[in-house]
Amino acid sequence: MESPSPADLEMLLFAWRPVPVGEFAAAFRYQEFLYCMKELTKVFEARHKELIEIIRAEDLASDEFVLEIPADDVVDKDLLMDELPDVYDSLVFIKSSDAKRFIGQKALYDLAVDTAGRERVAKVEQVNLLDLRKALPAGEAARYVKKDPHESLAKVVRVAE
């Protein structure tokens, strides 16, 4: 049997729940579909993972299918460090999120300013909203907060009748 295509599933959905006329009603229907698909994706991913685990745990075989497990090339750090310590030392690093955890945002900021200069760093400076709210009384902090539209979260809301 041939795998269903997104177009096949779209036709099934529209047959079951046609898209209404009018931009607001249509946007609302698509919004409903998107929510359902996100939730259904979670269910399908969990079931897929569960079935893969069963196939691996029970070492199942099939005449029709084969389980492929892709692998990424990664550096064998222990071997490199053991055999070529100078190369290891010249290449080793930590992720910025780990550096932030170890030495903190303020120390990283200061190091960036010392290294790259305030002018370059100023272009990417940020202030954390929660830190601002801790540093100032609520009324004063509110003066320094603005709304920044989050277009990707735009949604249509049905008006209460």
Side-chain angles (χ1 to χ4, degrees):
M1 180 177 193
E2 200 173 308
S3 294
S5 72
D8 295 331
L9 295 178
E10 182 182 34
M11 285 179 13
L12 282 172
L13 276 176
F14 292 158
W16 174 61
R17 287 271 211 263
V19 175
V21 176
E23 285 76 8
F24 278 96
F28 189 76
R29 176 61 44 84
Y30 278 104
Q31 190 174 288
E32 291 174 321
F33 286 158
L34 285 169
Y35 169 77
C36 289
M37 285 189 276
K38 284 179 188 174
E39 293 303 308
L40 189 58
T41 296
K42 292 176 191 175
V43 171
F44 282 10
E45 286 173 344
R47 183 63 180 140
H48 180 259
K49 181 180 178 184
E50 180 182 305
L51 290 166
I52 296 294
E53 288 172 3
I54 291 170
I55 291 168
R56 292 181 79 187
E58 298 179 13
D59 198 24
L60 299 178
S62 168
D63 293 333
E64 188 178 358
F65 300 99
V66 62
L67 177 62
E68 289 183 356
I69 303 173
D72 294 326
D73 287 341
V74 295
V75 174
D76 185 336
K77 294 183 310 185
D78 295 333
L79 183 63
L80 183 63
M81 186 171 37
D82 184 49
E83 293 185 1
L84 299 172
D86 292 342
V87 173
Y88 177 86
D89 287 342
S90 71
L91 299 176
V92 70
F93 68 94
I94 62 171
K95 294 185 281 185
S96 58
S97 57
D98 290 328
K100 182 176 112 179
R101 190 168 39 99
F102 291 137
I103 65 176
Q105 289 184 130
K106 183 62 176 153
L108 279 174
Y109 172 80
D110 293 340
L111 180 60
V113 169
D114 291 346
T115 304
R118 178 70 194 268
E119 190 174 306
R120 281 185 68 200
V121 173
K123 295 174 185 171
V124 293
E125 287 178 340
Q126 296 184 26
V127 175
N128 183 290
L129 182 59
L130 293 177
D131 292 342
L132 175 69
R133 288 182 173 153
K134 288 178 187 174
L136 298 174
E140 191 176 347
R143 181 170 178 258
Y144 300 100
V145 176
K146 63 182 181 178
K147 296 286 184 191
D148 188 13
H150 203 307
E151 296 295 330
S152 67
L153 296 179
K155 64 181 179 180
V156 174
V157 180
R158 189 182 301 273
V159 177
E161 296 173 17

